[in-house]
Amino acid sequence: MEKPLIGLLDCNNFFVSCERLFRPELKDRPVVVLSSNDGCVVARSKEIKDMGVPMGVPYFQIKDTLKKVDAVTFSSHFALYRDISRRVFSVMKDELGLMEQYSIDEAFFVVKEEPERLVQELKEVVERRVGIPVSIGVARTKTQAKYANSLAKKGNGIYVLNDTDWSERMVTIRLSELWGVGGKTELAFKRHGLETVRDLLSSDKATIAKVFGVSGVRLQQELAGNPVYVVSKKTEPQQSVLSSRSFSEATTNIAVLHDSIAYHVRHVTTNMRAMNMSANRIRVSIMPSRHSDFVLRGGSKEAVLTAPTNDSMILLKVASQLLEELFEADVPYKKAGVTLLGLCESEIGQETLFNYEKKEENTVLMSVLDSLNKKIKKESVVIGSRLLNSAWQSKSEVRSPAYTTKWSDVAVVKAN
Ligand SMILES: [Mg+2]
């Protein structure tokens, strides 16, 4: 029998599709989803992509453009997206048995036979049972499948990349278009005259190993159709959450940075608690403007926590220390952010022996805090400092209701 192939299912414009699921009238309307603090664009509908609005662009830069085309804007709603994501993967599991969740909206799986029929059926079942449009690419390796998926997205949502097709295409596929190739790797390839997949494949393996190391060899193997990365049974949950944003004006005032870091900590931890997740590491970053003379003076620092936590007070304390260590007095900072890493499901018994009692108290406090903020108004009760009228802040006012996770917001179907 032929060697098995690898498939990659990817939900189309995932966050946008989740929002549209409950607002079907938005089907052909331009839609964007903003990061949870309304800073940047994190998902775009096809209409928005076609307009050339890039991923990650700050909201204030495109606000007017969006208004002109009558776009609908949402704040990120992670509890909803995670719930829909779970549904997608549970349908995949029913259909396939084995699959490897790669991100919130992507999963790899093994295709043993009849790839066309299998993926056509899989696409139909997921779309019928969950209601989220998906694209599927199939090829010999994960790296090729990722590329096949991009072809699927340009066409009818399915692309099975066979060997002949691949050898014709590899003449023009640029290495920079591939999964995991960007920035420094791309530049290094360029410096050695390697621009396309064919360039890399026609290079001698020993030379590649010498110049680009083991990751270069792996990429070469994957592109040659020899799988280096196998489909594992382990489902990888989301690995990190980030909250960051640019200030409207640069600042050299550490109090403003403390204020913004505290805001981001509250933000990520509220999301984490809503998802019942904890983190084992926290990273703080502060950056000057990319266009200033201080561009190289920014930085980030990470701390490992004694036990996985989603406790705002613990994380705020650590984040403030990291900020103090990073801060340089003469640098005008333009952006700050907090990332929680090493995420895992929160469970009882995760506490270390010594912080057990303290942890108990905070858990109660945190849930009181969350419910007050939900009842009254976001950020009405906060942990940590908060400057009044901070110029950098804005509120997320356009978040969609919690359709699937809060009873009060569940959509009601009426029969006539
Ligand atoms: Mg996607």
Side-chain angles (χ1 to χ4, degrees):
M1 204 191 86
E2 277 265 298
K3 271 195 226 153
L5 299 171
I6 294 178
L8 172 65
L9 177 143
D10 186 1
C11 300
N12 300 347
N13 319 321
F14 183 56
F15 296 173
V16 168
S17 299
C18 290
E19 298 292 351
R20 278 177 170 163
L21 193 55
F22 297 92
R23 299 273 307 272
E25 74 277 12
L26 300 181
K27 189 167 170 274
D28 298 309
R29 287 271 299 275
V31 176
V32 295
V33 176
L34 304 174
S35 55
S36 48
N37 50 6
D38 291 356
C40 304
V41 170
V42 291
R44 304 155 297 160
S45 69
K46 188 177 176 304
E47 299 75 20
I48 299 285
K49 287 179 184 170
D50 290 347
M51 284 163 55
V53 172
M55 186 71 163
V57 66
Y59 178 52
F60 70 86
Q61 280 181 19
I62 51 155
K63 209 170 173 178
D64 295 339
T65 319
L66 292 179
K67 213 172 227 162
K68 262 180 229 148
V69 297
D70 201 20
V72 181
T73 307
F74 289 96
S75 307
S76 287
H77 190 160
F78 278 106
L80 174 69
Y81 308 152
R82 276 183 65 87
D83 195 50
I84 308 288
S85 160
R86 264 196 290 266
R87 293 183 194 187
V88 171
F89 296 129
S90 102
V91 171
M92 282 187 79
K93 232 174 242 163
D94 286 353
E95 294 297 305
L96 302 163
L98 176 74
M99 55 131 210
E100 176 192 351
Q101 190 180 334
Y102 174 67
S103 72
I104 192 165
D105 70 333
E106 287 168 274
F108 288 105
F109 55 96
V110 176
V111 181
K112 289 208 179 92
E113 53 204 11
E114 295 186 75
E116 275 87 4
R117 188 190 55 82
L118 182 121
V119 296
Q120 184 64 50
E121 273 177 24
L122 181 63
K123 180 170 154 67
E124 278 167 20
V125 173
V126 171
E127 291 179 350
R128 192 177 64 237
R129 284 181 53 192
V130 190
I132 295 285
V134 301
S135 299
I136 306 178
V138 178
R140 291 217 171 272
T141 64
K142 281 186 173 178
T143 308
Q144 288 184 358
K146 196 86 180 165
Y147 185 77
N149 195 286
S150 70
L151 296 175
K153 284 217 178 67
K154 285 178 201 145
N156 63 359
I158 282 177
Y159 204 98
V160 179
L161 189 61
N162 65 38
D163 293 346
T164 333
D165 191 4
W166 176 247
S167 27
E168 277 166 22
R169 286 180 178 275
M170 69 186 197
V171 184
T172 49
I173 302 171
R174 312 192 73 76
L175 291 166
S176 57
E177 291 173 66
L178 298 173
W179 185 37
V181 181
K184 279 183 192 159
T185 326
E186 186 191 341
L187 285 177
F189 281 138
K190 265 208 181 118
R191 260 204 311 277
H192 289 84
L194 306 179
E195 301 249 352
T196 66
V197 169
R198 193 185 52 181
D199 292 343
L200 183 62
L201 284 178
S202 49
S203 307
D204 162 60
K205 190 177 164 187
T207 317
I208 295 297
K210 212 163 80 191
V211 182
F212 303 102
V214 66
S215 58
V217 176
R218 282 183 180 152
L219 181 63
Q220 197 184 34
Q221 286 299 311
E222 283 265 310
L223 294 174
N226 308 319
V228 176
Y229 309 110
V230 295
V231 176
S232 80
K233 283 176 213 164
K234 210 174 74 200
T235 56
E236 297 264 345
Q238 188 185 0
Q239 286 301 297
S240 65
V241 289
L242 159 77
S243 175
S244 82
R245 76 177 318 177
S246 299
F247 311 145
S248 44
E249 262 166 53
T251 181
T252 52
N253 183 352
I254 194 167
V256 172
L257 289 164
H258 270 297
D259 189 46
S260 116
I261 292 294
Y263 173 85
H264 294 306
V265 167
R266 289 194 293 273
H267 233 283
V268 284
T269 49
T270 309
N271 278 334
M272 297 275 288
R273 290 194 292 268
M275 300 187 289
N276 196 35
M277 305 280 280
S278 293
N280 69 17
R281 278 174 297 145
I282 181 167
R283 183 191 301 146
V284 168
S285 59
I286 48 175
M287 297 292 164
S289 162
R290 267 186 291 168
H291 311 291
S292 76
D293 299 341
F294 296 90
V295 61
L296 298 174
R297 302 281 290 278
S300 65
K301 249 188 158 126
E302 217 174 283
V304 179
L305 303 155
T306 45
T309 184
N310 55 25
D311 187 312
S312 311
M313 285 168 88
I314 295 174
L315 290 165
L316 183 61
K317 215 167 139 189
V318 181
S320 306
Q321 278 165 9
L322 293 172
L323 172 62
E324 300 275 349
E325 289 166 29
L326 277 168
F327 181 77
E328 290 183 81
D330 57 336
V331 177
Y333 291 101
K334 192 72 207 296
K335 188 174 182 174
V338 169
T339 311
L340 296 183
L341 305 109
L343 306 195
C344 53
E345 303 271 338
S346 306
E347 42 191 340
I348 307 160
Q350 227 167 32
E351 299 81 13
T352 61
L353 194 56
F354 301 104
N355 68 7
Y356 185 75
E357 276 173 43
K358 192 170 171 297
K359 173 80 200 237
E360 284 276 273
E361 285 169 19
N362 283 354
T363 309
V364 176
L365 176 61
M366 290 304 124
S367 69
V368 170
L369 205 70
D370 289 345
S371 63
L372 280 175
N373 283 329
K374 216 177 268 175
K375 269 198 194 111
I376 310 168
K377 193 168 156 254
K378 213 175 143 213
E379 290 265 298
S380 52
V381 187
V382 302
I383 299 261
S385 72
R386 188 171 64 166
L387 302 174
L388 290 173
N389 305 320
S390 255
W392 59 273
Q393 275 188 339
S394 85
K395 294 187 183 70
S396 54
E397 283 159 348
V398 283
R399 175 170 307 181
S400 59
Y403 298 109
T404 62
T405 50
K406 253 170 72 185
W407 280 110
S408 57
D409 291 346
V410 167
V412 178
V413 179
K414 283 192 182 121
N416 287 316

